Amino acid sequence: MSGEDNLLKLVEVEEPEEHDYLLQEQVGFILRKAHQRHVSIFAAHIGDLTPPQFAALAKLRDVGETSQNQLGTLIAMDAATVKGVIDRLKARGLVELSKHEGDKRRLLVNLTAEGRDAIERLIPLAREITRETLAPLSAKEIATFMKLLAKLA
Amino acid sequence: MSGEDNLLKLVEVEEPEEHDYLLQEQVGFILRKAHQRHVSIFAAHIGDLTPPQFAALAKLRDVGETSQNQLGTLIAMDAATVKGVIDRLKARGLVELSKHEGDKRRLLVNLTAEGRDAIERLIPLAREITRETLAPLSAKEIATFMKLLAKLA
DNA sequence: GGAAATTCATTCGTATGCAAATGATATCAA
DNA sequence: TTGATATCATTTGCATACGAATGAATTTCC
């Protein structure tokens, strides 16, 4: 467990990491693929809402009325991005907008009754999506993975 | 430290997972954030090329000339998406296109001399990007994480 | 050999995602 | 108080990402 490893180390140390760069072994590439797979699983269960749209509704359910910018911060979305997401949810009657009294810059967002119904209805599906995404891992692996993934995010 | 906890457990066990759905603990959400962080690190090191563009060049370096579709498969990209990526690389003179003799459907893609120079020059930066993305983890954690992430992708 | 199915590439439409610029409003500080 | 800063939201431009439809060429299979 030690002699051979040390020998290898002595040899390899000569040329560190010259020509080999394998794209398919880089975190970024695999991270992108894992994300793709999740989005695909999401779409298979929840066809008429995207993950960002779902995130917005789910977070509004948690925190209630907030400003558009604040909501963006909570769901890790750029101001420009969150605007588009909220616009589409508004067009579908799932959220409603109002002006903040006292601060005329702020645009308040909240769930409509329909939006609240929708998110409550979708949450069980979201649990299943999480389950299916993590299905290749054992319970213990899931715990480990989530801990490490959280460190990276 | 124990009596109260046990009491709480006995109470909570009645309803398993009713109302609590925490977006910020779901794989999909954290996966998206981890991916965002990586793209940001990438942009900080390689400003004039996106991760998908880099992936296309890196893979062409590995496999040499291939069809556009085949390249898309190798770097996990939709036919429509890969077209846009290749178009932009071509506009910058990093790849060149040619017709496949024998199969008139296929569009062959290859690195130009300039493209080859670029990817060779960028690979050291890419190694640094990988390193920085994984910096929050120890060496042992990295090994574990990569193994589990690969299972999910 | 020829119809049916498959593959390759393109195009269109929609939805993130982010940088940068802009305008309106609020806050801070001299 | 007012001038500098900061915050909130919007807009524009560019780059993925993917479903669906289309057309051209190839392969399959009876």
Side-chain angles (χ1 to χ4, degrees), chain A residues 5-141:
Chain A
D5 278 352
N6 287 338
L7 269 181
L8 280 176
K9 248 197 180 112
L10 284 173
V11 171
E12 285 169 357
V13 109
E14 297 296 323
E15 41 174 315
E17 38 174 341
E18 265 318 302
H19 192 68
D20 59 312
Y21 175 85
L22 297 179
L23 180 71
Q24 64 273 21
E25 292 180 2
Q26 308 301 311
V27 226
F29 184 72
I30 313 182
L31 220 39
R32 176 169 148 272
K33 288 214 298 176
H35 182 248
Q36 274 177 3
R37 173 168 165 274
H38 171 260
V39 171
S40 165
I41 291 171
F42 189 102
H45 286 83
I46 301 182
D48 67 337
L49 222 55
T50 65
Q53 288 167 2
F54 175 87
L57 296 183
K59 190 46 86 177
L60 283 173
R61 169 179 175 269
D62 279 357
V63 303
E65 189 173 59
T66 10
S67 75
Q68 200 174 260
N69 251 22
Q70 176 61 17
L71 180 60
T73 300
L74 293 172
I75 57 181
M77 250 179 250
D78 188 87
T81 302
V82 82
K83 184 189 189 312
V85 172
I86 293 303
D87 278 355
R88 276 163 230 123
L89 292 175
K90 174 177 154 56
R92 294 176 52 175
L94 299 177
V95 303
E96 58 191 358
L97 304 180
S98 58
K99 290 176 198 160
H100 186 285
E101 1 169 357
D103 190 340
K104 286 188 255 181
R105 295 169 306 176
R106 290 204 175 100
L107 185 63
L108 296 175
V109 192
N110 207 351
L111 291 174
T112 60
E114 193 184 343
R116 191 169 301 277
D117 283 356
I119 188 61
E120 297 294 347
R121 190 164 31 80
L122 292 176
I123 280 178
L125 303 184
R127 286 196 225 276
E128 175 55 27
I129 289 167
T130 291
R131 200 172 301 127
E132 193 170 327
T133 299
L134 291 171
L137 305 183
S138 71
K140 188 173 293 187
E141 287 175 327

